[in-house]
Amino acid sequence: MSHSTDSEPIGVIGTGYVGLVTAAGFAELGNDVWCIDIDEAKIKGLKNGRIPIWEPGLEELVERHRARLHFSTDLADALEHARLLFVAVGTPPTYSGDADLSAVHAVVEAMPASDRHALVMKSTVPVGTGATIKRLFAEQGKGGFSYVSCPEFLKEGSAVNDFLDPDRVVIGDDGDWAGDAVVGLYAPLEAPLVRTDIKSAEMVKLASNAFLATKISFINEIANVCEETGADVVEVAKGMGLDDRIGPKFLQAGIGFGGSCFPKDVTALKQLAGNSGYHFQLLNSVIEVNELQKRRVMAKLEKHLGSLVGKEIALLGLAFKPNTDDMREASSLVLSARLQAAGSRVRAYDPVAEEEARKLIRGVDFKASAVETVEGADAVVLVTEWAEFAALDFAELASSMRGSLVIDGRNFLDPSKVREAGLTYEGIGRPALKDREPAGTT
Ligand code: UGA
């Protein structure tokens, strides 16, 4: 990797999860980065080395490159030092399901007339946003501003590594200096590059997320059919995934996808299609399957426990996936609400997301450890596959529980270990023990 002192300085507007990882990543590549945010408290914290999100490796990276990372609330600082201004502000869903672009538009408004600067869009935006922004620039007498679409494919929990070792870099531009400069910035990563027009780059992002979400809803439906037929979805996914054309990733059945991206982007693409007069039938199903999937645990609990009134239910994991404290669209939100509506008492434990969870979940008894959560419970539901849950001593748990049911919402635990402890194991799309034929039976 190049660490030359003449590396292009850049600006990053928005110090959320994408902005900070992008800033720290480019600092690692040797670039000076001016990070701008309107949130004064956040900038003050960052100046003092406080990282507002929990992302493995990020704090260390920011610390290591403190000399190259400059934090400010004043856009002029970035404009003075950098030509390329990466935009990494939030584009949350509106009630209609369209993306809320108000933060993006505020950035566009704030730009001065210039013919030596470019906006580089990292935020996930609808197809056509680049064209709209360019028209806005022209109308506002800022036609000299360049525009590049550079979608982000980071996964929470492995974002630093995803930045430094990406599967691909996608750059959409008009073939001007700014596109060349962004290509140059990413060159040290030696990643496959797709350089294309702005609209296609915007679509690559939405279509990639929608496809991955479709893959998950697909395997979840296969899991549901496995439950009806006695097949084991873990074996099925293994058999399917070895086909190169299918691949093994994102074929883990479970209680649905969550997070800040898939639910939002699938809905945004559906809306985008609808706004252009096209009914995207498949994505409707992807969304519906996911909503129903989050609720399937209820039926599983009722099958074993009967009425859930007065039952003590222990939730292990709350974050939308492991290695993050992000609770956005987490399956635990739906589950904890449904359980309480059914009259259960809910206790829960998450190794890092408790603080975030407390902001969103009411009526739940938060515990300090998995062992404490399970004590006296009628049933345990594994919601998020944190590594520490695989190492639990199930014999110990069994002796402290009131009931004996373990529902593994992520097919993460070793069923035989759970069963050996005298507990009843139920996964997603996996047959109950009694349905299994002895190994070797043809
Ligand atoms: C996702 C994409 O994977 C990134 O490429 C993209 O950059 C990002 O959205 C974004 O648009 O910002 P992320 O939301 O961090 O990343 O999380 P994923 O690891 O993709 O997981 C999403 C959800 O799918 C989680 O709830 C996870 O539990 C679920 N999932 C994932 C499954 O249920 N099964 C699987 O096989 C994989």
Side-chain angles (χ1 to χ4, degrees), residues 17-18 124 152-157 162 168 205 209 212 216 219-220 249-262 265 320-322 331 385 410:
Y17 140 79
V18 170
T124 300
E152 189 47 74
F153 303 99
L154 306 175
K155 296 183 288 299
E156 292 189 25
D162 290 342
R168 80 301 209 181
K205 170 66 191 181
N209 273 3
L212 292 169
I216 299 170
I219 200 68
N220 282 339
K249 293 179 183 164
F250 280 68
L251 277 185
Q252 273 139 31
I255 52 173
F257 58 77
S260 63
C261 304
F262 284 174
D265 292 350
F320 85 93
K321 67 172 189 178
S331 298
E385 65 275 34
R410 298 290 172 188

